[in-house]
Amino acid sequence: MTDTIFALASGAGRAGVAVVRASGPDAAPALAALAGALPEPRRAVLRPLKARDGTVIDRALLIWFPAPASFTGEDVAEFHVHGGPAVIEALSAALMAEGLRPAEPGEFSRRAFAHGRMDLTEAEGLADLIDAETEAQRLQALAQMDGALGSLYGEWREALIDTLAAIEGEIDFPDEDDVPEGLSERAGPPLRALCTGMRAHLADNHRGERVRDGFAIAVIGAPNAGKSSFINYMARRDAAIVSDIPGTTRDVVEVRLIRAGFVVYMADTAGLREASDVIEAEGVRRALARAESADMRCLMIDVSRETPDADRFAMLRPGDVVLLNKTDLASVDAPVPEGVTAFAVSVKNGSGLDAFNTWLDGELVARLGGAEAAPLSRARHRQLVERALGSLEEALSLLSSRPELAGAEVNRAIRALGELTGAVDIEDVLDRVFSQFCIGK
């Protein structure tokens, strides 16, 4: 990282103020070339910026952050200029004339990671904080950016390193007097404790991932049960086509909602019946697939035309909901499976929907609401913790008979935890993570 980068760090487009950030060894010479001299570190000063031909670019507020006390750990200069496109373009041209190059997505954060200013989970938390749209997402991302996950994984890794040292001590010095007999067996309790902690960490019902990515609800039922009308009611707009013709909805129609401070994706699906053509059959297949993968299934039943039966209820799981719709035309008192909640509603006149909305918001808070422990927030985290846990379980099974193989498994677990925080060399993972950042961060 010998070159110096720059990028617009504030939002794109016309604005009152724009912030352009530069980082790298030539940040100081570039700042001095444009502003005449370096300002006092971490003190904002107002100066004219001039191009090489002496043309004034703008009067800018400048802040100088010498390394290592900066976001990236390198020399960093910030130019706070007026946010017109012409100003930003002129400043960019002047910086390129001084030998700086435009930054790639996430390059500032990657440099911060490379210089030890943050670990990989903290960098991911920063990206999530920038993308956060709800209060729950903000709080979760802020906790992760402050090191909640990184600290936990770091503690696990340190404990495993100590345990591995004990195991390898017996392997390397089995006849030495200062190595207690059965030392590898003493590694059992800490390994079992770590396994218990990892299992508890994984058994979070994917709470952190659902807060970050959204909670999925699949609305399912027979044709003309009122699914599309219900989707439009929840979205407060005409998101789905409503028709009396069976089979109108043939593909999944998804709407994005904010409920109780959480992102919710509610999907209208094709009516479940024997399909009349291959296109409708594909729609039914997609409906069933969406129902299977959803976090919650909402079964719509038209009580004026159908009686709930075991086949319909077989798709449901504890925590799902049944809406007995069209109670303005008929009424029914249908027993539902244990753990499933039912509401008698009429999407047409709105009766019963307030009670459903109150229940839904309560369910979201109960399932996704905050907990003391930092949750897994990405599939990458879950996969690596699962890999580490699998290695430790294998190590426990080998500990008494093959301590050298147990040590190898503990080593694999240590590497998996190192990949979580970026403590090992994983260039392909780093490329994938930081490429998802916005330019300028």
Side-chain angles (χ1 to χ4, degrees), residues 1-6 21-27 68 70-76 99-120 123 126 430 434 437 441:
M1 298 183 182
T2 58
D3 52 350
T4 303
I5 58 174
F6 75 92
R21 174 188 290 161
S23 178
D26 291 332
S70 70
F71 172 73
T72 61
E74 302 176 322
D75 287 346
V76 171
L100 280 62
R101 68 166 176 83
E104 298 293 332
E107 195 166 1
F108 287 92
S109 296
R110 182 158 185 170
R111 291 187 177 207
F113 166 79
H115 290 100
R117 302 295 290 176
M118 62 177 73
D119 69 28
L120 196 53
L126 173 60
L430 299 182
F434 288 106
F437 280 56
K441 198 60 181 174

Side-chain angles (χ1 to χ4, degrees), residues 288-347:
L288 294 172
R290 180 59 65 95
E292 178 65 26
S293 64
D295 300 316
M296 178 188 291
R297 282 140 294 280
C298 177
L299 175 61
M300 298 284 295
I301 294 176
D302 177 357
V303 297
S304 71
R305 294 190 305 111
E306 59 178 320
T307 301
D309 56 29
D311 289 341
R312 281 281 185 260
F313 290 150
M315 302 179 62
L316 302 181
R317 305 170 193 169
D320 290 345
V321 63
V322 175
L323 296 185
L324 303 168
N325 190 27
K326 303 189 181 181
T327 54
D328 54 310
L329 301 178
S331 61
V332 66
D333 184 16
V336 296
E338 185 177 355
V340 174
T341 305
F343 292 91
V345 303
S346 170
V347 175

Side-chain angles (χ1 to χ4, degrees), residues 169-238:
E170 182 173 294
I171 296 170
D172 294 338
F173 307 103
D175 299 323
E176 296 289 335
D177 293 336
D178 59 346
V179 178
E181 185 178 355
L183 187 58
S184 66
E185 294 182 6
R186 298 188 181 185
L191 286 180
R192 281 189 285 272
L194 283 168
C195 285
T196 299
M198 289 181 184
R199 291 190 195 102
H201 190 52
L202 290 167
D204 65 347
N205 203 27
H206 295 260
R207 180 174 66 87
E209 292 141 287
R210 285 166 173 159
V211 168
R212 178 179 179 267
D213 300 326
F215 187 86
I217 301 176
V219 182
I220 57 177
N224 296 117
K227 300 184 299 298
S228 297
S229 296
F230 174 67
I231 286 286
N232 291 344
Y233 163 82
M234 296 297 291
R236 299 293 190 267
R237 61 184 176 86
D238 290 335

